[in-house]
Each structure stands twice: as structure tokens, then as C-alpha cells.
Amino acid sequence: MHAPEPTAAPAGRSHPAGPDTPAPAPETPATGHAETGGDVRAAADGRALAGAPSRPVTLLLALAGGLVTDAAFPDRGWWPLAFVGVAALFWALRRDGARWGFLVGLVWGLAFFLPHLWWANYATETVPWLALSVMEACFVAVLGAAWVWARRWPWLARRPWAQAVGFALLFVGVEQARTEVPFGGFPWGRLAFSQADSPLGRAAWLGGEVLVSLLVALAGSLLAVAVLALVRRRDVVTGAAVPVAVAGALVAAPLLVPLDTRAEAGTLAVGAVQGNVGEPGLGSFANRAEVLDNHLQGTLALLDQVGPGDLDVVLWPENGSDLDPQTTPDVARAIDDAARAVGAPILVGAQEYPDTGGRYNVSLLWEPGAGVVDRYAKQHPAPFGEYIPLRSLLRIFSDQVDRVTIDMIPGTGTGVVDLASERLGRTVPLGVVICFEVAYDGLVNEAVDAGAEVLVVQTNNASFGYTAESTQQLAMSRLRAVSTGRATVQVSTVGVSGVIAPDGELLQSTELFTADQLVADLPLRTSLTPAVRAGDWPGRVVELLALGLLAAGVVSAVRERRAARATATPVATGDDAR
């Protein structure tokens, strides 16, 4: 199933230039492999590289690689498969030119994103799910084409180790790009989010999910390099065993990261309420005040575990109140009564409808007897879910755009809500992000940099049913706890809710579509992790390095083609001139 190894052509005869037969090359000092120079020319000419699988096998590898990578994420959570999925893509991209690389990347991307984003199909319908999956898969397709160009840089093509590093940088560079564009980006499915239970997850403390994704991609690329050495049957020890050992060391190394879970500024007693809904899916909020009543009852149920005044704050999820207490007096009275009964402020998720139009997704801090004393408005509304860009154009393809009747407006304030704690005798800054915002490291880092001592992730997962969306989001919250060094509570209308230690350990969790309450003492922390201090620099550096690799490959290809044309152009002799 593999292309034959290149062999030297007899003297005086030209070497056949078949699509699967690279030109011969002399031994090179860098690797000792005769085929490395052929790899360079094959890449430039759009032919198969040495050891590359056939076209059908290539596509099957890409398909399997995408499916395997999805299995590394929740709900399955078989995190080592992320390395295998990356290795399969690396191996599948050892053929042909940029157009074929684009197709291979597209197949891998579709095989990954279609099952990974299945919850979008459940929450809407087939067309939006397909559109989102195809859009994200196109980024992997661009990666496939870009890698074919990047490896045309001779220095990279002659060194398997350099190829592993280069592929990892390019993979994460493209991954970073899709977290930023279009419409503010969509970070779902980053390699890092598969590693919440892996030792690699601890690396988020140093460099956030950019570093974690880079280590995953590098470990997978090294595995591919090792397999390539075995296929070529050369340098089995240094070519295969050493890369595998290095990959293993990369995975284990983050165990040495000194994660600290101690309270630096006291502890915060919190109660989190998962009120549940009457039915999963699109009808979750069909009955007026049902969700509000469930969370009011859940707040009173906290008194089965604590006494009045024992909690510093009660946390409700996004849309915990399906009615705005600021404009609905009976809702305001009900929330205030519950807050008085439990003896603590309530962080209420609700919607605001300003007179100027649109709506805000807000987190309101409700003080007993005083009402709203602070608020946070979601800064990054989800495109197509909370607002519809290009509405008139997209309506041609799906009437689902009309489900969002009022577009959400982005808030402008940093995600910090100031909680006045009588027990602690001071104000405690709560870092608040709403739903999908947990996937954006910049928003969370800004909150921590602004003083947040604990993180609250308010989310409403009712529309996604029993899909993996909620557990995928919980994995993000766990990585976020590590990268910021903050205890984190994810509180959902229907689950999965969870209490997370600053080292990412899941201390408590709930089941889907059950009414439940969580009570915990959270360590308050004020120190900043290296990841928070670095801000967006890790992502920017990886993007620049990836662009540099691509530029080097393009320049090398242009020079090689010019040299080939110059060699092919006959030079006029004196007789020719006469």
C-alpha cells in the first residue's frame, strides 16, 4: 500500500517521473537518507514523497484521523487518541501538491468537526450544523495546503525532527487563526480541550491552551516521524525509538509544573443552583417563569445543606431567570425573598432589553433588600446562536435564522463583578464569563488580570439535550482553571455543573437534566500565572512562526522553479548564432 523506495536509474538513462516515484538523491549529512533530497523535489513538483501511502489510503487515513481525534474529547475523553489523530493527518499529507493537501485536510476536518459539533444539529437543524462544520473544516484544509508549501523549504524537508516541529507550529497557528476569524472566531475543538485529564493539561499554567495544543501536535507529529522511520526501515533506533521517547517525555513533563491550590486571600462559601427545565431541547423556556421558579426552589433547597447566612453568594446559571427582574416587579420580589431566606446575594443570569433595541445577556448581582448592585454583560455573543450576521443572505439557505428574533448586543465591560462579603470584611472580585465565552482565553485572562480571585462560568445548555456539548464546555472550564490558577464553578441550567480546583481537578459535578445544588468553599487567589501574564503573546508568536515557515517554503519553491526554467532553456552557441 506504500509507494516504492526510490532507486538509482542506470547510467545514461533518465529517471521516470511517475506520480509516485520521486527522483533519486544523494546521501545527505543531515539524515543519511538518500530519499530526503527527493522529498524536496517531489514536494516542489507535486509528486508523492518517499514512503507516502496511495491516494485511497491517504483519504482513509485522514478520515480515521479526524474521527479518532474527536474520540479524544468528551464524552469519550480518550485523550491519548489526540496524538494518533494528529499523526494520521501528518502521514496523510505526505503526498502530492497543495490542492491534494487541501482535500486531505478537508476530509480530516469534516471527520472531526461533524461529530464534534453534533450538538449544533440537535439545537438547530442540519443546514446550520453542516455550515459550521464545513467552515471549521476549511481551516484544516488550508493547513493541508500550507503544509505542502511549507515543507518545500529544503532545510525543513531534509530533517524529520524539523518537520515534526514545523507541522506542530503550523497546526496550532491555523488553530489559533480560527479562534479569531470569522465573526470573532470559534475556538471549539482546540486540541488543548481534549487534555483536561491528561498531564499535558497542566501545561496550561505556563502558556494557556496554545502551549497545550502545541505539545499535543508535536507529540503526534513525532509519532508520525517514528512510523515513517519504521516504514523506511532505516535508523530504527534514532529514527523511531527516540522520537517516541521524546513524545512520551513531552506528555509527562508537565507533571513537574508546580500547580498551587492554596487559598491566598481566604475562602469563599458558594452555593450553585442547577434548576433544570421541563423538557430538553428547543421547548425548554416555553412556559413563562418555569425556569425562574425552578431556580428559586433550588435556592431554598440550599438550606438543607447550610444555614441562613452561611454562604457568601449563590450562583445561578445563564438565563436562570427567564424574565428580567429589573423590569418585572413580581420577579424582583421573588428573587429578593429567596436571597433574604438564604441570607446571601444571588448572581442571576437574565436578559436585558434596552430602549435602543437589541438585548444583552447579563449577569446581575442581586443584594437582599437592595436589588442589582453590579452587573456584567456578555462581551462575545455567539454568532448565529445569539445574533445573526448576514441575516438576509443566510435566510435563503435556512429559515433557522428567524429563530433569533432580537439580536444580542455585545457588552463592553470586563468580566468582573464585585461582591461585598460581610464574612470576609472586604469586596471579592468575581470573574464572570457567560457560556461560550469560556472558550476565549483573552476574555478570561482580562478578568483575572483585573483582579478576579475566583471564576464563575454561567451557562445554559438546555437546547443541546443529552449531547456532549455540556461536558466539552466543562473540559474548557477545567483548562481555564489551570491557566488562570483560579477555582472555578461552571453552573448550568440543566448540567453539567461542576466545582473545579485551581489545578483543574473536578471536585463536584452534577448529571444532565436533573435539579441539583452544589456547596463549596473556594480558595481565593490573587497571584497571576505565567499564562495570564503572557496574555495573547503565545498565540501571536505561534502565528508568526507558522507564517514564517509558509513564507520560507513558498520562496524556496519559487527559486527552485526559476532554477529549473534556467536549466531547461537552451543557450545559443556560436554556430547557432550564425
Side-chain angles (χ1 to χ4, degrees):
M1 302 298 289
H2 300 289
E5 295 286 336
T7 56
R13 294 175 57 185
S14 63
H15 190 277
D20 295 325
T21 312
E27 295 273 318
T28 64
T31 63
H33 295 341
E35 59 267 27
T36 53
D39 280 1
V40 177
R41 281 189 291 275
D45 296 340
R47 290 176 273 146
L49 276 66
S54 64
R55 288 180 185 270
V57 172
T58 291
L59 294 179
L60 286 175
L61 271 173
L63 177 66
L67 294 173
V68 161
T69 304
D70 175 60
F73 290 77
D75 280 335
R76 294 182 183 89
W78 301 334
W79 57 265
L81 292 183
F83 314 138
V84 179
V86 172
L89 180 60
F90 183 100
W91 187 259
L93 288 171
R94 287 193 58 76
R95 286 191 61 86
D96 297 322
R99 283 178 292 184
W100 183 258
F102 186 94
L103 176 61
V104 170
L106 183 65
V107 170
W108 191 99
L110 290 173
F112 172 67
F113 283 108
L114 284 171
H116 193 68
L117 303 178
W118 173 252
W119 46 263
N121 183 56
Y122 184 93
T124 56
E125 63 174 17
T126 301
V127 171
W129 163 62
L130 288 176
L132 179 60
S133 299
V134 170
M135 181 177 70
E136 297 303 303
C138 283
F139 281 92
V140 189
V142 170
L143 165 66
W147 176 238
V148 172
W149 281 98
R151 71 174 178 229
R152 294 178 182 181
W153 183 22
W155 188 90
L156 187 70
R158 294 191 180 104
R159 294 165 174 83
W161 285 79
Q163 288 187 37
V165 174
F167 185 75
L169 285 170
L170 203 59
F171 190 109
V172 179
V174 171
E175 184 182 80
Q176 181 67 21
R178 73 176 180 84
T179 70
E180 300 168 355
V181 294
F183 310 115
F186 187 66
W188 221 272
R190 299 193 74 163
L191 289 177
F193 297 144
S194 68
Q195 302 298 301
D197 289 311
S198 159
L200 281 179
R202 298 170 64 92
W205 182 84
L206 284 172
E209 63 261 41
V210 173
L211 178 58
V212 178
S213 285
L214 188 62
L215 292 174
V216 174
L218 181 54
S221 300
L222 287 171
L223 290 179
V225 167
V227 173
L228 181 59
L230 291 175
V231 169
R232 288 174 168 177
R233 297 180 183 178
R234 289 191 176 96
D235 294 335
V236 173
V237 174
T238 59
V242 173
V244 170
V246 172
L250 288 175
V251 175
L255 292 172
L256 302 176
V257 174
L259 300 184
D260 190 356
T261 63
R262 295 173 298 175
E264 297 173 327
T267 60
L268 191 72
V270 303
V273 178
Q274 178 177 303
N276 204 15
V277 298
E279 61 175 293
L282 301 181
S284 304
F285 288 75
N287 299 321
R288 182 185 185 277
E290 178 186 58
V291 176
L292 168 65
D293 290 340
N294 289 347
H295 286 88
L296 289 171
Q297 294 171 18
T299 300
L300 298 178
L302 286 169
L303 295 174
D304 294 335
Q305 302 182 56
V306 298
D310 288 347
L311 297 176
D312 293 304
V313 66
V314 175
L315 307 175
W316 283 14
E318 175 190 25
N319 301 128
S321 175
D322 45 1
L323 299 168
D324 185 1
Q326 300 171 104
T327 59
T328 314
D330 59 329
V331 173
R333 284 192 297 271
I335 292 176
D336 197 67
D337 289 344
R340 289 176 184 273
V342 78
I346 301 177
L347 192 66
V348 179
Q351 304 276 307
E352 287 180 354
Y353 295 86
D355 294 336
T356 53
R359 61 189 170 109
Y360 289 108
N361 192 346
V362 294
S363 180
L364 308 172
L365 184 61
W366 189 282
E367 186 79 31
V372 176
V373 295
D374 204 355
R375 71 186 281 278
Y376 165 69
K378 188 175 185 178
Q379 301 175 70
H380 199 301
F384 309 105
E386 294 173 321
Y387 76 97
I388 305 297
L390 310 175
R391 184 185 290 267
S392 58
L393 173 63
L394 295 177
R395 188 180 287 111
I396 298 173
F397 304 98
S398 175
D399 60 2
Q400 288 293 297
V401 299
D402 295 324
R403 284 183 49 207
V404 181
T405 57
I406 302 177
D407 284 338
M408 188 171 290
I409 309 168
T412 56
T414 303
V416 174
V417 172
D418 290 326
L419 170 69
S421 172
E422 293 183 6
R423 184 177 62 85
L424 294 173
R426 67 181 182 90
T427 297
V428 177
L430 305 179
V432 180
V433 292
I434 299 176
C435 201
F436 282 16
E437 286 188 321
V438 71
Y440 297 88
D441 57 343
L443 296 177
V444 183
N445 288 345
E446 287 173 6
V448 174
D449 203 36
E453 299 177 18
V454 69
L455 295 179
V456 180
V457 181
Q458 295 176 295
T459 183
N460 171 26
N461 310 108
S463 299
F464 303 114
Y466 288 91
T467 67
E469 188 274 343
S470 186
T471 49
Q472 290 173 1
Q473 195 172 44
L474 185 64
M476 298 177 194
S477 294
R478 294 179 63 187
L479 262 291
R480 204 59 71 213
V482 178
S483 67
T484 61
R486 296 295 186 266
T488 301
V489 178
Q490 175 170 305
V491 54
S492 168
T493 48
V494 300
V496 174
S497 302
V499 177
I500 306 164
D503 62 356
E505 180 184 359
L506 185 61
L507 302 175
Q508 302 179 51
S509 63
T510 65
E511 298 295 329
L512 276 172
F513 293 99
T514 59
D516 208 342
Q517 305 84 41
L518 302 173
V519 175
D521 290 324
L522 305 179
L524 297 173
R525 296 180 54 79
T526 57
S527 60
L528 299 182
T529 64
V532 172
R533 293 181 184 276
D536 61 358
W537 273 105
R540 294 289 172 263
V541 169
V542 169
E543 285 179 323
L544 288 173
L545 290 174
L547 288 174
L549 285 173
L550 179 58
V554 170
V555 169
S556 297
V558 170
R559 287 177 176 175
E560 190 165 338
R561 286 181 179 179
R562 286 178 177 174
R565 290 195 190 106
T567 303
T569 302
V571 179
T573 63
D575 292 337
D576 291 336
R578 288 191 297 271

